[in-house]
Amino acid sequence: MSSPSKRRDMDVMKLMMSDFAVETINDGINEFNVELHGPKESLYEGGIWKVRVELPDAYPYKSPSIGFLNKIFHPNVDELSGSVCLDVINQSWSPMFDLLNVFEVFLPQLLLYPNPSDPLNGDAASLMIKDKNQYEQKSTVNVMQRENITNTISEESDEEVSDEDISDGHSVTTDEEVAGHVEP
C-alpha cells in the first residue's frame, strides 16, 4: 500500500463486505458503527452491540478509536462512555492489523476472556474477582434483557422504550443507548 488513505479505504471496504453490518456516519469512511454479536460460548452470546469506530488520519499507523454505544457489563469496557481497555488497540497496535482483526479477533477475545486486573469498570472487575458466579449471572441476565428489548422493539417498532423497560438500573437517553438494540 502506498498511502494510509488507500489502506483505510481498503480496510473499510473489507469490513463492509464482511458479515458485519456497517453504518457510515456523515457519508464518510472515518467514522462508522459496526454491529457486533456476542461470541458463541461466551457470557455475551445472543447479545448485539453497536460499536463506534473512528479512524485517525494516520490509520493504519495509529490505532482506531473503538467504543460500545450501548451498555455492556464487562470489566474492560467503561460502563458510561463505552471505551474499551484492550492493549492491542490502545498500546501495541501495529499496521499489520486491520479492522477485520478488531471485529473478528480482538473484540471477541475481549468478550471471551475479560481481564479484571486492568479494569475500566471497577464494579464488574470486583464482582468477577469476588463472586464469579454472580458476575456471570449479571452479565447473562444483562444479555437476556437486551434480547427481550430487541424483540419488543422489533415487534412494536413505533413505541418508545422507557427506562422502565430496562430493569438493570441504567437510564436510557437515546435510541442508540438502548441495550442490545441496533437499528437495521
Side-chain angles (χ1 to χ4, degrees):
M1 267 307 111
S2 60
S3 74
S5 64
K6 286 183 181 180
R7 167 67 188 274
R8 179 183 318 117
D9 294 350
M10 185 177 84
D11 284 2
V12 172
M13 289 304 288
K14 279 175 42 180
L15 186 63
M16 292 175 128
M17 292 171 42
S18 72
D19 291 336
F20 295 99
V22 178
E23 171 189 11
T24 60
I25 299 170
N26 299 327
D27 296 325
I29 62 166
N30 289 334
E31 294 181 58
F32 49 90
N33 298 325
V34 179
E35 185 178 290
L36 177 70
H37 293 256
K40 291 185 187 300
E41 299 181 19
S42 77
L43 298 175
Y44 305 96
E45 182 174 6
I48 301 171
W49 286 271
K50 188 181 272 191
V51 179
R52 173 76 173 247
V53 178
E54 293 181 28
L55 299 178
D57 291 337
Y59 178 86
Y61 302 106
K62 188 173 180 206
S63 67
S65 175
I66 306 290
F68 285 81
L69 291 177
N70 43 356
K71 303 286 185 195
I72 183 169
F73 188 71
H74 189 285
N76 309 112
V77 179
D78 183 84
E79 196 166 17
L80 297 176
S81 70
S83 297
V84 175
C85 181
L86 186 59
D87 285 346
V88 73
I89 293 174
N90 298 329
Q91 296 173 2
S92 60
W93 178 263
S94 165
M96 291 187 318
F97 304 135
D98 65 16
L99 295 170
L100 277 177
N101 292 128
V102 171
F103 289 95
E104 289 181 342
V105 180
F106 303 152
L107 290 178
Q109 290 292 311
L110 180 74
L111 296 181
L112 282 163
Y113 308 106
N115 180 4
S117 63
D118 188 19
L120 278 177
N121 181 337
D123 293 339
S126 177
L127 191 59
M128 184 178 186
I129 291 168
K130 292 178 182 173
D131 189 345
K132 191 164 182 162
N133 287 336
Q134 190 177 1
Y135 164 77
E136 291 175 356
Q137 181 181 17
K138 184 167 183 176
S139 296
T140 304
V141 166
N142 228 343
V143 170
M144 289 172 26
Q145 288 173 343
R146 289 183 178 103
E147 287 177 344
N148 291 338
I149 291 167
T150 302
N151 292 339
T152 302
I153 291 170
S154 297
E155 293 167 4
E156 304 168 9
S157 60
D158 294 335
E159 292 184 21
E160 290 290 320
V161 176
S162 69
D163 287 344
E164 291 86 39
D165 292 332
I166 301 173
S167 61
D168 66 356
H170 301 297
S171 63
V172 177
T173 56
T174 69
D175 286 341
E176 286 183 347
E177 291 179 348
V178 176
H181 175 64
V182 178
E183 293 295 324

